[in-house]
């Protein structure tokens, strides 16, 4: 991979030249072991293919027993730990093994017996490690000691926790303004850790709290808040079990929320309609072997998971939703009971403006933009009209788009028309990503915090929170490049690879005075560092967290707003690890020596953090008692009860014009950057993408056959991909392998995080500030020599 970049403002990144240092073959995954091949996948999702794949990972991580035992204790609240794999809720019936292939891989990856020790770091310079693949870096296993970068030797050396905290404290106190620091969170951090982290940032004096949500569901939060006065979905597992139509937009459930397969199979079996809307026909839209049903596994029994597949054009979902609304209004002209008339009158506002804009949108535009025929749109609308209880769920295919907020508001519009909210079996259901990404927001990580949160924090914690909005992910990267942010703290995650514009992000980090990464494993963000740099290794979710008052549990919130406790049970990977709350407490005390916040007490007993959280966060009253319930508790949500906490007190229809989603030039393709089956965000387990039939390579681009033919590109040959950013700058990835795939004309697909090299820093939605990771405008041509 030899990307070139013509961003005029970033002379500094040539100095870093991150991508040119990285290994060419194998990309970010392991070194290639054979030629890249591609064969359509014909088997059901999950089942024995999954079991085999799990077996391979368990074997490579040398954790066979741990892996098996983990399957049985994970998610089995209150004794087990919460699966860090995704935010899909746990099975509360307690009868099934609520496990999945990717959750097990994820846990095994954390439980590995391999260790990244000071001896290992002494044997390799950072420059040398930079030439390793990301797979190889993480494959060294768990970090064992806090480490500090030594610029003289280009090695990371061990450092004591005390000295590490002192270094951070000194740097932070030396800044001219607290806003010169930025505190990133990835979505693993527990609620207790989150609360301490944001309390520290605000007591120190900044709202610079970027998080992975800025790249994930920011748009969903903003759209739902505007429409129904809550930033979250309103449904829960019971609703999923009682819906009679499920619409799933822009999610690859079989890989990224595998436990959803069970819900889809159950829905299909009880006669519910399951409509998949996706440019790709993903594995979840076919059939599955229910992942945790051992009898089905033994008998190879498969269940259908789909009643309809609609292959929309990229960004065509807005047009489809509007088309459904158009048919609903048509039907209502003949039979007014099609609309939830009483609900609309009593609870909503803006219906007539919405009706006008829907009626004014011509079919020709809906068909062209959605890439679907009028008959297909009408068929989807018929499902919606015939369903009493409808859930619409979505993930990144919807949220990482330029017009994501308008699109999600259109989803809310469609639901409101028939009163599909605030009642059983119905409502909006964003599919969240990281296991506690929703809890991070609930517990205060937010660069534009609600004034009510700050008021409560100030009142209960005796601090004076800053009121100005802070920097999000994209703005943090820009500020680092300008020299305005000088200290970066990453509480988990792998910022340099997860963020857009890889070279620009690397250049920003390299300009910092200090970068601090709290991590479990070695990753690229440790190698692209500031002048001073620290790696602080922490306990994982699976490990026993022992503090002064005894073993501690932490809480997390799933995608359905259920909060429950998670107890690590394993012996920590190293005796030198600290918990995330302990690391935050240490940083806080070293930075704010005179702070009246009882950091030491909080770290000694997490129940004392929960006591204060109970007073600050609405819905957490009696927090310590609530978590004693098996299965935890649900955070009360007014919208679920039909109370809409918007400025007007009504659920708000939006009446956005349908935007033009199709690029102008016929040459331009819309490229989406997605996950393969064998990866967890920036963690790559292998070079295979089982359900899409791709083997041995990640430097691939999936294209429509006709688009390939027109461009003179043969199957399996090398192509160059040139992207054009919203600011006109171009970026390039060379010698990718083109593979024929069933994706609509004009679209293409490839893998994150590699393809972040193509996304410009200006390529973010002006509605959500989210990078447009599913709509990169590219030209693809046979490789030049
Ligand atoms: N095993 C595993 N599980 C994970 C993760 C992981 O990396 N590995 N990541 C976690 C995280 S943080 C998140 S946020 C979620 C992500 O879960 P997903 O949203 O499933 O993630 P992606 O792989 O990016 O897949 C995006 C999907 O959207 C579709 N899509 C692209 N463009 C469009 C469009 O215009 N319209 C429609 N309708 N669909 C479109 C793509 O074809 C693809 O199916 O998964 C979480 N769970
Ligand atoms: N092009 C493109 N880019 C994307 C996306 C996309 O679809 N396309 N998706 C975006 C999305 S949805 C997201 S959520 C982001 C993800 O961005 P991040 O959350 O920043 O990235 P991850 O790969 O999930 O982070 C992995 C690292 O977390 C650390 N880690 C693991 N467990 C723990 C733990 O318990 N504690 C701590 N402190 N650290 C731990 C490990 O060291 C590991 O290397 O990426 C975004 N980037
Ligand atoms: Mo995410």
């Amino acid at each position: 991979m030899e990307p070139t970049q013509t961003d005029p403002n970033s002379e500094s990144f040539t100095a870093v030249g991150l991508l040119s240092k990285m290994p060419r073959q194998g990309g970010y995954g392991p070194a290639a072991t054979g030629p890249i091949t591609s064969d359509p996948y014909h088997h059901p999702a999950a089942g024995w293919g999954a079991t085999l794949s799990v077996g391979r990972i368990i074997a490579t991580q040398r954790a066979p027993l741990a892996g098996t035992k983990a399957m049985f204790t994970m998610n089995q609240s209150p004794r087990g730990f919460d699966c860090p794999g995704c935010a899909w809720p746990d099975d509360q019936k307690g009868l099934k093994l609520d496990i999945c292939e990717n959750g097990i891989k994820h846990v095994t990856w954390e439980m590995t017996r391999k260790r990244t020790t000071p001896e290992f770091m002494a044997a390799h310079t950072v420059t040398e490690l930079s030439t390793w693949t990301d797979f190889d870096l993480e494959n060294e296993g768990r970090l064992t000691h806090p480490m500090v970068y030594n610029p003289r030797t280009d090695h990371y050396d061990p450092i004591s926790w005390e000295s590490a905290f002192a270094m951070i404290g000194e740097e932070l106190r030396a800044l001219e303004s607290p806003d010169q620091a930025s505190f990133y969170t990835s979505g693993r951090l527990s609620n207790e850790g989150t609360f301490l982290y944001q309390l520290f940032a605000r007591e120190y004096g900044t709202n610079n709290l970027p998080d992975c949500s800025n790249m994930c569901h920011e748009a969903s939060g903003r759209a739902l808040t505007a429409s129904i006065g809550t930033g979250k979905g309103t449904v829960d597992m019971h609703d999923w079990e009682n819906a009679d139509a499920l619409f799933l937009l822009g999610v690859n459930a079989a890989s990224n929320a595998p436990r959803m397969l069970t819900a889809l199979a159950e829905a299909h079996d009880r006669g519910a309609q399951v409509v998949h809307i996706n440019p790709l026909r993903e594995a979840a839209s076919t059939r599955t072997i229910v992942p945790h049903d051992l009898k089905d596994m033994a008998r190879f029994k498969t269940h259908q998971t789909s009643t309809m597949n609609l292959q929309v054009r990229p960004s065509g979902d807005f047009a489809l939703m509007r088309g459904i609304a158009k048919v609903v209004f048509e039907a209502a002209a003949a039979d007014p009971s099609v609309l939830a008339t009483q609900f609309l009158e009593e609870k909503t506002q803006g219906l007539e403006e919405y009706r006008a804009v829907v009626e004014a949108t011509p079919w020709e535009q809906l068909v062209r933009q959605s890439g679907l025929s009028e008959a297909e749109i009408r068929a989807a609308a018929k499902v919606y009209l015939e369903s009493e209880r409808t859930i619409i769920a979505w993930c990144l295919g919807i949220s990482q788009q330029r017009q994501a907020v308008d699109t999600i508001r259109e989803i809310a519009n469609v639901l409101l028309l028939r009163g599909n909210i605030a009642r059983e079996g119905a409502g909006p259901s964003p599919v969240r990503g990281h296991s506690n990404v929703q809890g991070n927001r609930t517990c205060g990580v937010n660069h534009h915090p609600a004034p009510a949160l700050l008021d409560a924090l100030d009142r209960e914690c005796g601090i004076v929170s800053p009121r100005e909005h802070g920097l999000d992910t994209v703005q943090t990267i820009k500020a680092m490049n300008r020299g305005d942010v000088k200290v970066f703290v990453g509480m988990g995650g792998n910022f340099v690879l997860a963020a857009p514009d890889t070279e620009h992000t690397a250049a920003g980090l390299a300009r910092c005075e200090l970068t601090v990464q709290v991590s479990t494993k070695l990753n690229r963000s440790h190698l692209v560092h500031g002048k001073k740099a620290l790696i602080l290794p922490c306990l994982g979710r699976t490990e026993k967290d022992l503090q002064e008052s005894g073993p501690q549990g932490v809480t997390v919130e799933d995608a359905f707003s259920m909060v429950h406790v998670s107890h690590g049970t394993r012996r920590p990977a190293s005796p030198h690890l600290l918990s995330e709350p302990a690391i935050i407490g240490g940083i806080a005390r070293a930075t704010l020596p005179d702070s009246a916040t009882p950091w030491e007490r909080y770290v000694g007993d997490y129940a004392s953090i929960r006591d204060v959280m109970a007073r600050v966060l609405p819905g957490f009253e009696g927090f310590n008692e609530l978590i004693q319930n098996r299965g935890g508790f649900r955070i009360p949500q007014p919208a679920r009860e039909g109370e809409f906490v918007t400025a007007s007190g009504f659920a708000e229809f939006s009446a956005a014009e349908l935007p033009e989603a199709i690029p102008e030039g016929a040459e331009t393709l819309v490229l989406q950057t997605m996950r393969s089956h064998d990866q967890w965000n920036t963690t790559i387990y292998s070079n295979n993408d089982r359900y899409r039939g791709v083997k041995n390579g990640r430097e691939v681009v999936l294209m429509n056959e006709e688009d390939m033919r027109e461009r003179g590109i043969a199957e399996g040959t090398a192509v160059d991909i040139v992207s054009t950013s919203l600011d006109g700058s171009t970026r390039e990835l060379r010698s990718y392998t083109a593979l024929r795939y069933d994706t609509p004309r004009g679209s293409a697909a490839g893998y994150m995080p590699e393809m972040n090299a193509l996304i410009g820093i200006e390529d973010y939605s002006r509605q959500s500030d989210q990078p447009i990771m599913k709509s990169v405008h590219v030209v693809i041509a046979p490789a030049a020599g």
Side-chain angles (χ1 to χ4, degrees):
M1 201 178 339
E2 285 165 35
T4 53
Q5 220 259 26
T6 53
D7 182 343
N9 303 322
S10 49
E11 33 15 268
S12 51
F13 76 62
T14 356
V16 180
L18 169 66
L19 292 172
S20 61
K21 279 193 217 153
M22 291 176 61
R24 180 162 185 342
Q25 275 313 318
Y28 298 24
T33 49
I36 296 177
T37 58
S38 133
D39 284 305
Y41 182 85
H42 295 298
H43 309 288
W48 289 106
T51 312
L52 276 176
S53 161
V54 165
R56 275 194 292 271
I57 302 277
I58 291 182
T60 62
Q61 294 309 301
R62 296 194 233 125
L65 284 174
T68 330
K69 193 159 168 241
M71 293 180 211
F72 290 90
T73 52
M74 193 156 65
N75 296 358
Q76 301 301 302
S77 164
R79 293 176 312 282
F81 55 85
D82 178 69
C83 177
C86 73
W88 188 256
D90 308 333
D91 175 32
Q92 298 302 332
K93 292 176 202 143
L95 298 174
K96 292 178 184 163
L97 291 176
D98 201 14
I99 55 175
C100 82
E101 171 190 1
N102 279 341
I104 297 168
K105 280 189 206 160
H106 203 67
V107 166
T108 309
W109 201 248
E110 177 175 304
M111 285 183 169
T112 178
R113 290 193 188 159
K114 301 179 184 177
R115 297 290 179 267
T116 306
T117 58
E119 292 71 41
F120 170 85
M121 299 302 255
H124 305 279
T125 63
V126 169
T127 305
E128 185 211 328
L129 290 174
S130 302
T131 66
W132 288 32
T133 68
D134 297 88
F135 173 86
D136 288 334
L137 294 174
E138 285 208 27
N139 200 31
E140 283 303 315
R142 292 286 301 278
L143 294 158
T144 58
H145 288 69
M147 308 287 294
V148 62
Y149 182 66
N150 181 340
R152 257 183 330 99
T153 61
D154 190 32
H155 282 279
Y156 270 101
D157 298 335
I159 183 174
S160 70
W161 281 105
E162 222 168 275
S163 308
F165 293 148
M167 177 188 275
I168 301 170
E170 252 164 54
E171 289 291 330
L172 286 176
R173 282 199 309 275
L175 295 179
E176 288 154 29
S177 146
D179 290 331
Q180 291 181 329
S182 187
F183 299 94
Y184 176 70
T185 319
S186 159
R188 305 283 174 96
L189 190 62
S190 63
N191 290 331
E192 291 76 3
T194 300
F195 187 81
L196 290 190
Y197 194 50
Q198 58 86 40
L199 175 63
F200 162 62
R202 295 190 166 119
E203 182 172 346
Y204 169 64
T206 184
N207 281 316
N208 289 348
L209 286 160
D211 63 357
C212 70
S213 262
N214 298 147
M215 301 183 267
C216 193
H217 273 293
E218 185 79 43
S220 307
R222 293 197 191 178
L224 291 177
T225 302
S227 292
I228 58 169
T230 173
K232 307 172 184 180
T234 61
V235 302
D236 65 11
M237 209 59 228
H238 177 79
D239 296 315
W240 272 74
E241 287 165 359
N242 284 281
D244 42 37
L246 296 166
F247 287 78
L248 305 160
L249 289 76
V251 58
N252 174 16
S255 295
N256 297 329
R259 286 179 293 138
M260 190 201 288
L261 290 172
T262 312
L264 300 184
E266 280 175 7
H268 190 280
D269 289 355
R270 71 170 181 267
Q273 300 293 305
V274 186
V275 181
H276 295 262
I277 297 160
N278 198 312
L280 309 183
R281 293 196 58 158
E282 301 283 30
S285 68
T286 54
R287 64 208 164 98
T288 186
I289 292 180
V290 170
H292 53 226
D293 190 323
L294 297 177
K295 276 206 308 302
D296 282 6
M297 295 268 291
R299 287 179 291 153
F300 292 89
K301 181 167 188 255
T302 63
H303 297 255
Q304 298 294 317
T305 45
S306 166
T307 55
M308 188 184 287
N309 275 302
L310 297 172
Q311 270 180 287
V312 277
R313 274 190 59 94
S315 320
D317 306 86
F318 189 157
L320 168 60
M321 284 294 135
R322 181 142 296 177
I324 291 176
K326 204 170 169 73
V327 180
V328 171
F329 282 123
E330 273 176 26
D335 172 9
S337 74
V338 156
L339 298 178
T341 315
Q342 195 186 350
F343 170 82
L344 290 169
E345 269 171 23
E346 288 172 6
K347 297 283 186 182
T348 72
Q349 189 165 279
L351 175 66
E352 288 318 313
E353 292 87 324
Y354 180 55
R355 187 199 302 266
V357 74
V358 170
E359 285 173 353
T361 317
W363 273 109
E364 169 276 318
Q365 211 182 332
L366 298 174
V367 165
R368 194 175 64 85
Q369 297 244 16
S370 66
L372 302 171
S373 66
E374 184 177 330
E376 284 174 305
I377 300 175
R378 285 188 180 279
K382 185 160 179 280
V383 171
Y384 183 57
L385 283 168
E386 286 175 357
S387 155
E388 278 298 307
R389 295 175 295 274
T390 300
I391 286 177
I392 306 185
W394 67 92
C395 198
L396 301 181
I398 302 302
S399 63
Q400 292 179 334
Q401 301 279 1
R402 201 167 171 182
Q403 308 293 341
V405 173
D406 284 346
T407 304
I408 297 163
R409 294 204 65 183
E410 194 72 9
I411 290 173
N413 289 341
V414 167
L415 287 170
L416 288 174
L417 284 180
R418 291 180 40 76
N420 273 307
I421 194 157
R423 60 183 171 82
E424 185 184 51
S429 186
V431 180
R432 306 302 297 244
H434 267 296
S435 53
N436 198 36
V437 62
Q438 191 158 312
N440 295 157
R441 278 291 164 103
T442 304
C443 299
V445 162
N446 199 331
H447 64 284
H448 52 99
L453 170 79
L454 300 182
D455 292 345
L457 208 57
D458 291 3
R459 187 184 64 236
E460 298 298 335
C461 301
I463 66 168
V464 184
S465 300
R467 267 24 192 198
E468 316 74 61
H469 287 182
L471 302 172
D472 64 2
T473 293
V474 166
Q475 296 306 327
T476 291
I477 298 166
K478 289 191 184 193
M480 291 191 300
N481 274 284
R482 288 193 308 267
D484 291 342
V485 160
K486 297 178 194 298
V487 174
F488 176 88
V489 180
M491 190 55 62
N494 189 355
F495 193 75
V496 75
L497 292 189
D501 210 344
T502 314
E503 286 288 16
H504 196 61
T505 302
L509 288 164
R511 269 198 85 167
C512 285
E513 293 300 322
L514 172 68
T515 50
V516 180
Q517 303 288 351
V518 179
S519 315
T520 50
K521 291 200 171 179
L522 194 58
N523 68 38
R524 190 70 49 188
S525 298
H526 305 137
L527 309 180
V528 182
H529 54 77
K531 291 180 194 130
K532 293 183 183 168
L534 290 164
I535 304 175
L536 304 182
C538 65
L539 293 174
R541 185 83 60 80
T542 58
E543 290 165 335
K544 201 172 214 164
D545 182 353
L546 198 59
Q547 303 295 344
E548 220 171 280
S549 67
Q552 306 293 318
V554 292
T555 60
V556 292
E557 175 184 343
D558 69 26
F560 295 166
S561 303
M562 293 295 302
V563 177
H564 53 96
V565 73
S566 167
H567 288 283
T569 49
R570 306 246 317 151
R571 187 150 55 99
S574 145
H576 307 286
L577 303 183
L578 290 186
S579 73
E580 286 161 322
I583 294 174
I584 297 161
I587 295 176
R589 181 54 76 201
T591 309
L592 308 165
D594 303 326
S595 164
T597 304
W599 297 106
E600 294 74 16
R601 178 155 61 83
Y602 285 156
V603 173
D605 181 6
Y606 300 173
S608 68
I609 313 176
R610 287 188 288 271
D611 279 340
V612 67
M613 292 172 80
R615 297 198 300 273
V616 172
L617 304 170
F620 283 69
E621 299 81 7
F623 193 8
N624 274 310
E625 292 77 55
L626 286 172
I627 59 171
Q628 303 304 326
N629 303 338
R630 195 185 153 80
F633 69 99
R634 192 180 206 291
I635 302 173
Q637 210 180 11
R640 189 176 158 82
E641 313 304 328
E643 196 196 317
F644 300 109
V645 198
T646 57
S648 64
F650 294 100
E652 295 279 355
F653 278 95
S654 67
E657 293 288 335
L658 187 66
E660 180 56 64
I662 303 175
E664 266 175 28
E667 270 298 283
T668 304
L669 300 176
V670 178
L671 172 81
Q672 61 148 320
T673 62
M674 61 192 184
R675 289 144 184 78
S676 79
H677 184 65
D678 257 1
Q679 82 181 77
W680 217 97
N681 292 345
T682 67
T683 297
I684 315 295
Y685 304 121
S686 88
N687 288 324
N688 301 336
D689 191 359
R690 188 167 83 245
Y691 295 141
R692 300 197 185 102
V694 178
K695 283 211 185 90
N696 291 326
R698 295 179 46 85
E699 288 171 273
V700 300
V701 58
L702 310 181
M703 296 179 69
N704 175 287
E705 194 169 7
E706 288 296 308
D707 288 334
M708 286 170 77
R709 190 172 311 138
E710 251 177 22
R711 288 162 178 75
I713 299 169
E715 170 75 358
T717 59
V719 290
D720 293 339
I721 309 170
V722 180
S723 64
T724 303
S725 170
L726 290 179
D727 66 1
S729 61
T730 60
R731 286 161 186 74
E732 190 173 28
L733 285 171
R734 295 213 193 111
S735 278
Y736 262 54
T737 301
L739 297 176
R740 200 183 315 120
Y741 203 81
D742 183 7
T743 185
R745 286 290 313 260
S747 67
Y751 301 124
M752 64 82 75
E754 290 87 334
M755 281 185 165
N756 270 325
L758 291 171
I759 302 177
I761 196 67
E762 291 302 329
D763 293 339
Y764 63 91
S765 161
R766 276 18 182 203
Q767 303 186 334
S768 65
D769 300 321
Q770 250 188 266
I772 310 168
M773 290 162 160
K774 294 292 184 277
S775 248
V776 189
H777 286 190
V778 296
V779 171
I780 305 181

